[in-house]
mmCIF file of all heavy atoms in Angstrom:
data_model
loop_
_atom_site.group_PDB
_atom_site.id
_atom_site.type_symbol
_atom_site.label_atom_id
_atom_site.label_comp_id
_atom_site.label_asym_id
_atom_site.label_seq_id
_atom_site.Cartn_x
_atom_site.Cartn_y
_atom_site.Cartn_z
ATOM 1 N N VAL E 2 121.526 37.632 -25.422
ATOM 2 C CA VAL E 2 122.142 36.364 -25.050
ATOM 3 C C VAL E 2 123.302 36.677 -24.115
ATOM 4 O O VAL E 2 124.137 37.522 -24.416
ATOM 5 C CB VAL E 2 122.657 35.621 -26.300
ATOM 6 C CG1 VAL E 2 123.342 34.342 -25.909
ATOM 7 C CG2 VAL E 2 121.513 35.362 -27.261
ATOM 8 N N ASP E 6 132.024 32.685 -19.077
ATOM 9 C CA ASP E 6 133.088 31.722 -19.331
ATOM 10 C C ASP E 6 133.654 31.330 -17.969
ATOM 11 O O ASP E 6 134.289 32.144 -17.302
ATOM 12 C CB ASP E 6 134.166 32.367 -20.209
ATOM 13 C CG ASP E 6 135.276 31.400 -20.556
ATOM 14 O OD1 ASP E 6 135.591 30.507 -19.731
ATOM 15 O OD2 ASP E 6 135.846 31.551 -21.647
ATOM 16 N N ARG E 10 136.098 33.589 -15.963
ATOM 17 C CA ARG E 10 135.221 34.314 -15.044
ATOM 18 C C ARG E 10 134.860 35.674 -15.640
ATOM 19 O O ARG E 10 134.848 36.689 -14.981
ATOM 20 C CB ARG E 10 135.846 34.462 -13.665
ATOM 21 C CG ARG E 10 136.047 33.132 -12.961
ATOM 22 C CD ARG E 10 136.654 33.271 -11.596
ATOM 23 N NE ARG E 10 135.978 34.214 -10.743
ATOM 24 C CZ ARG E 10 135.067 33.925 -9.827
ATOM 25 N NH1 ARG E 10 134.709 32.685 -9.657
ATOM 26 N NH2 ARG E 10 134.525 34.848 -9.076
ATOM 27 N N LYS E 15 125.618 39.339 -26.206
ATOM 28 C CA LYS E 15 125.396 39.778 -27.577
ATOM 29 C C LYS E 15 124.666 41.115 -27.519
ATOM 30 O O LYS E 15 123.569 41.225 -26.976
ATOM 31 C CB LYS E 15 124.571 38.749 -28.355
ATOM 32 C CG LYS E 15 124.380 39.117 -29.805
ATOM 33 C CD LYS E 15 123.661 38.015 -30.557
ATOM 34 C CE LYS E 15 123.524 38.379 -32.024
ATOM 35 N NZ LYS E 15 122.866 37.297 -32.769
ATOM 36 N N GLY E 26 130.810 43.433 -18.253
ATOM 37 C CA GLY E 26 129.440 43.559 -17.801
ATOM 38 C C GLY E 26 128.602 44.389 -18.742
ATOM 39 O O GLY E 26 129.080 45.350 -19.334
ATOM 40 N N PHE E 29 122.552 48.998 -18.991
ATOM 41 C CA PHE E 29 121.291 49.528 -19.468
ATOM 42 C C PHE E 29 121.249 50.975 -19.041
ATOM 43 O O PHE E 29 121.721 51.323 -17.956
ATOM 44 C CB PHE E 29 120.095 48.768 -18.872
ATOM 45 C CG PHE E 29 119.985 47.365 -19.377
ATOM 46 C CD1 PHE E 29 120.372 46.302 -18.585
ATOM 47 C CD2 PHE E 29 119.484 47.100 -20.641
ATOM 48 C CE1 PHE E 29 120.276 44.998 -19.044
ATOM 49 C CE2 PHE E 29 119.388 45.799 -21.114
ATOM 50 C CZ PHE E 29 119.785 44.747 -20.313
ATOM 51 N N LYS E 50 116.790 71.796 -22.206
ATOM 52 C CA LYS E 50 118.081 71.763 -22.900
ATOM 53 C C LYS E 50 118.725 70.444 -22.500
ATOM 54 O O LYS E 50 118.942 70.181 -21.312
ATOM 55 C CB LYS E 50 118.969 72.927 -22.469
ATOM 56 C CG LYS E 50 118.438 74.276 -22.883
ATOM 57 C CD LYS E 50 119.353 75.376 -22.423
ATOM 58 C CE LYS E 50 118.766 76.717 -22.807
ATOM 59 N NZ LYS E 50 119.533 77.822 -22.270
ATOM 60 N N ASP E 54 124.784 63.960 -21.867
ATOM 61 C CA ASP E 54 125.341 63.986 -20.512
ATOM 62 C C ASP E 54 124.681 64.968 -19.553
ATOM 63 O O ASP E 54 124.845 64.843 -18.348
ATOM 64 C CB ASP E 54 126.831 64.332 -20.574
ATOM 65 C CG ASP E 54 127.630 63.277 -21.307
ATOM 66 O OD1 ASP E 54 127.614 62.121 -20.862
ATOM 67 O OD2 ASP E 54 128.248 63.603 -22.320
ATOM 68 N N ASP E 78 133.211 41.234 -13.348
ATOM 69 C CA ASP E 78 132.527 42.322 -14.025
ATOM 70 C C ASP E 78 131.437 42.939 -13.167
ATOM 71 O O ASP E 78 131.045 42.398 -12.140
ATOM 72 C CB ASP E 78 131.902 41.812 -15.330
ATOM 73 C CG ASP E 78 132.944 41.247 -16.274
ATOM 74 O OD1 ASP E 78 133.997 41.886 -16.439
ATOM 75 O OD2 ASP E 78 132.705 40.157 -16.834
ATOM 76 N N ALA E 79 130.927 44.050 -13.637
ATOM 77 C CA ALA E 79 129.814 44.725 -12.977
ATOM 78 C C ALA E 79 128.721 45.016 -13.993
ATOM 79 O O ALA E 79 128.984 45.181 -15.177
ATOM 80 C CB ALA E 79 130.292 46.027 -12.348
ATOM 81 N N GLY E 83 122.893 53.105 -16.447
ATOM 82 C CA GLY E 83 123.111 54.493 -16.831
ATOM 83 C C GLY E 83 121.929 55.295 -16.330
ATOM 84 O O GLY E 83 120.799 55.098 -16.782
ATOM 85 N N VAL E 84 122.159 56.151 -15.348
ATOM 86 C CA VAL E 84 121.075 56.875 -14.676
ATOM 87 C C VAL E 84 121.293 58.380 -14.768
ATOM 88 O O VAL E 84 122.398 58.857 -15.052
ATOM 89 C CB VAL E 84 120.965 56.449 -13.200
ATOM 90 C CG1 VAL E 84 120.593 54.974 -13.084
ATOM 91 C CG2 VAL E 84 122.265 56.723 -12.439
ATOM 92 N N ARG E 95 129.400 73.870 -11.540
ATOM 93 C CA ARG E 95 130.800 73.475 -11.315
ATOM 94 C C ARG E 95 131.163 72.273 -12.180
ATOM 95 O O ARG E 95 132.249 72.196 -12.759
ATOM 96 C CB ARG E 95 131.021 73.151 -9.821
ATOM 97 C CG ARG E 95 132.452 72.852 -9.452
ATOM 98 C CD ARG E 95 132.657 72.872 -7.934
ATOM 99 N NE ARG E 95 131.630 72.187 -7.184
ATOM 100 C CZ ARG E 95 131.718 70.921 -6.766
ATOM 101 N NH1 ARG E 95 132.796 70.209 -7.030
ATOM 102 N NH2 ARG E 95 130.734 70.380 -6.066
ATOM 103 N N THR E 99 134.052 72.333 -15.290
ATOM 104 C CA THR E 99 135.242 71.465 -15.256
ATOM 105 C C THR E 99 135.077 70.224 -16.125
ATOM 106 O O THR E 99 135.891 69.302 -16.051
ATOM 107 C CB THR E 99 135.549 71.038 -13.802
ATOM 108 O OG1 THR E 99 134.424 70.311 -13.278
ATOM 109 C CG2 THR E 99 135.831 72.242 -12.916
ATOM 110 N N GLN E 104 138.183 65.245 -13.541
ATOM 111 C CA GLN E 104 137.478 65.656 -12.333
ATOM 112 C C GLN E 104 137.681 64.682 -11.177
ATOM 113 O O GLN E 104 136.953 64.740 -10.189
ATOM 114 C CB GLN E 104 135.985 65.804 -12.637
ATOM 115 C CG GLN E 104 135.687 66.852 -13.674
ATOM 116 C CD GLN E 104 134.249 66.787 -14.154
ATOM 117 O OE1 GLN E 104 133.719 65.696 -14.398
ATOM 118 N NE2 GLN E 104 133.624 67.927 -14.295
ATOM 119 N N MET E 127 107.873 55.670 -8.671
ATOM 120 C CA MET E 127 109.280 56.047 -8.751
ATOM 121 C C MET E 127 109.805 56.374 -7.358
ATOM 122 O O MET E 127 109.101 56.901 -6.521
ATOM 123 C CB MET E 127 109.422 57.274 -9.653
ATOM 124 C CG MET E 127 110.840 57.640 -9.936
ATOM 125 S SD MET E 127 110.979 59.003 -11.085
ATOM 126 C CE MET E 127 109.845 58.560 -12.351
ATOM 127 N N GLY E 137 134.964 62.003 -12.236
ATOM 128 C CA GLY E 137 136.251 61.434 -12.606
ATOM 129 C C GLY E 137 136.559 61.704 -14.057
ATOM 130 O O GLY E 137 135.913 62.534 -14.686
ATOM 131 N N PRO E 141 130.422 60.167 -14.396
ATOM 132 C CA PRO E 141 130.396 60.105 -12.930
ATOM 133 C C PRO E 141 129.794 58.796 -12.421
ATOM 134 O O PRO E 141 128.977 58.173 -13.097
ATOM 135 C CB PRO E 141 129.510 61.288 -12.531
ATOM 136 C CG PRO E 141 129.512 62.188 -13.703
ATOM 137 C CD PRO E 141 129.692 61.317 -14.911
ATOM 138 N N ASP E 150 117.042 51.855 2.971
ATOM 139 C CA ASP E 150 116.438 50.528 3.054
ATOM 140 C C ASP E 150 115.482 50.332 1.882
ATOM 141 O O ASP E 150 114.276 50.271 2.045
ATOM 142 C CB ASP E 150 115.706 50.371 4.383
ATOM 143 C CG ASP E 150 115.188 48.962 4.576
ATOM 144 O OD1 ASP E 150 115.763 48.034 3.972
ATOM 145 O OD2 ASP E 150 114.203 48.787 5.320
ATOM 146 N N ARG E 160 127.485 46.408 -2.123
ATOM 147 C CA ARG E 160 126.885 45.912 -0.892
ATOM 148 C C ARG E 160 126.129 44.622 -1.117
ATOM 149 O O ARG E 160 125.804 43.915 -0.193
ATOM 150 C CB ARG E 160 125.967 46.966 -0.279
ATOM 151 C CG ARG E 160 126.787 48.042 0.387
ATOM 152 C CD ARG E 160 125.909 49.032 1.053
ATOM 153 N NE ARG E 160 125.552 50.018 0.045
ATOM 154 C CZ ARG E 160 124.467 50.731 0.077
ATOM 155 N NH1 ARG E 160 123.610 50.593 1.030
ATOM 156 N NH2 ARG E 160 124.223 51.617 -0.867
ATOM 157 N N SER E 168 117.702 35.466 -10.885
ATOM 158 C CA SER E 168 117.683 36.203 -9.626
ATOM 159 C C SER E 168 116.273 36.373 -9.124
ATOM 160 O O SER E 168 115.359 36.582 -9.877
ATOM 161 C CB SER E 168 118.315 37.596 -9.810
ATOM 162 O OG SER E 168 119.666 37.463 -10.075
#
Side-chain angles (χ1 to χ4, degrees):
V2 178
D6 182 328
R10 295 180 51 97
K15 183 175 182 178
F29 291 104
K50 294 180 182 174
D54 296 300
D78 300 315
V84 296
R95 185 166 44 96
T99 60
Q104 298 169 317
M127 187 176 314
D150 186 25
R160 284 183 274 154
S168 293

